[in-house]
Amino acid sequence: MSDLAAALDVVGARWALLVVERLLDGPQRYGDLQRDLGVPTNMLATRLRELEAAGVLTRLPLRHNTRAYALTDRGLALREAIVALARWGAEQA
Amino acid sequence: MSDLAAALDVVGARWALLVVERLLDGPQRYGDLQRDLGVPTNMLATRLRELEAAGVLTRLPLRHNTRAYALTDRGLALREAIVALARWGAEQA
DNA sequence: GGGCGACACTTGCAAAATGCAAGTGCAACG
DNA sequence: CGTTGCACTTGCATTTTGCAAGTGTCGCCC
């Protein structure tokens, strides 16, 4: 499997890169991600589980039953790729 | 819609970026893409149609009933993003 | 000129991913 | 002790993906 295929195995699923992009601005809570991205709640829960298992993000416990999601170093390392893709997307206008 | 979401609308589907990556080495024929990538034939046909419609690649007619697929300038502009993603994928080893 | 193989697909259907809407559990607040 | 906010889960419809087999066209060979 190529390096690109390996990357897509982790962040190639729908919404995955958008979630990571949102977290580049700092830790976010579940409800914030949901509202900002417009992602279906079950998909968001699934992606967060997968991305956590892949070591891309971690859960930060906050008060009582709330938590925030934050990128790990591996997640932060996606910044370059995300910026490059977003720049390409911007050129389509 | 964010720039990243716009990009993913075009190249976010399964196999799309892998097809583009393969074409970065130069024009390829249908059968070559199929064998090299291991992509199901109906998916390949669908992706090639979509990527052509999006202006990412074009068909080059060859002899009789054969053709090759080549990246347009817009397709070539994906090189940076693909390299960045592949590099990230390689770091997972 | 009829059969054969290569090439580029299409078609039919099963399996998996995605999306929508409603429901669950739990802690704090009043 | 009922209500509210948050973080999910669950059930089911829709869409996407995948597998396998079939179609059409052209050139080649006998």
Side-chain angles (χ1 to χ4, degrees):
Chain A
M1 188 167 66
S2 76
D3 292 341
L4 180 59
L8 292 175
D9 252 28
V10 178
V11 294
R14 201 164 300 183
W15 299 108
L17 268 188
L18 292 167
V19 167
V20 174
E21 184 196 31
R22 195 71 198 74
L23 293 179
L24 285 174
D25 289 347
Q28 308 285 332
R29 286 177 309 160
Y30 188 94
D32 295 335
L33 290 169
Q34 194 177 202
R35 274 180 289 278
D36 293 349
L37 298 176
V39 49
T41 176
N42 53 349
M43 282 293 96
L44 180 56
T46 301
R47 288 297 163 268
L48 290 173
R49 233 181 290 127
E50 293 167 348
L51 291 172
E52 188 190 10
V56 171
L57 54 80
T58 49
R59 291 163 192 247
L60 301 179
L62 302 182
R63 305 293 151 78
H64 56 285
N65 61 340
T66 74
R67 39 194 151 288
Y69 292 90
L71 294 179
T72 61
D73 287 347
R74 242 165 87 176
L76 287 168
L78 277 164
R79 171 170 262 128
E80 257 198 24
I82 287 175
V83 167
L85 250 185
R87 199 126 59 92
W88 184 84
E91 286 165 10
Q92 319 277 348
Chain B
M1 190 166 67
S2 76
D3 293 339
L4 179 59
L8 292 176
D9 253 27
V10 178
V11 293
R14 201 164 298 185
W15 300 107
L17 269 188
L18 291 168
V19 167
V20 174
E21 185 195 32
R22 194 72 197 74
L23 293 180
L24 286 174
D25 289 348
Q28 308 286 333
R29 287 178 307 161
Y30 188 93
D32 294 336
L33 289 170
Q34 196 178 202
R35 274 180 289 277
D36 292 350
L37 297 177
V39 49
T41 177
N42 54 347
M43 281 293 96
L44 180 56
T46 302
R47 289 295 164 267
L48 289 173
R49 232 181 290 127
E50 294 167 348
L51 291 172
E52 188 189 10
V56 171
L57 53 83
T58 49
R59 292 164 192 246
L60 302 179
L62 302 182
R63 305 291 149 79
H64 57 284
N65 61 340
T66 72
R67 38 194 151 290
Y69 294 90
L71 294 179
T72 60
D73 286 348
R74 241 168 84 180
L76 287 169
L78 277 165
R79 171 170 261 128
E80 257 198 25
I82 287 174
V83 167
L85 250 186
R87 200 125 58 92
W88 184 83
E91 286 167 10
Q92 320 276 347

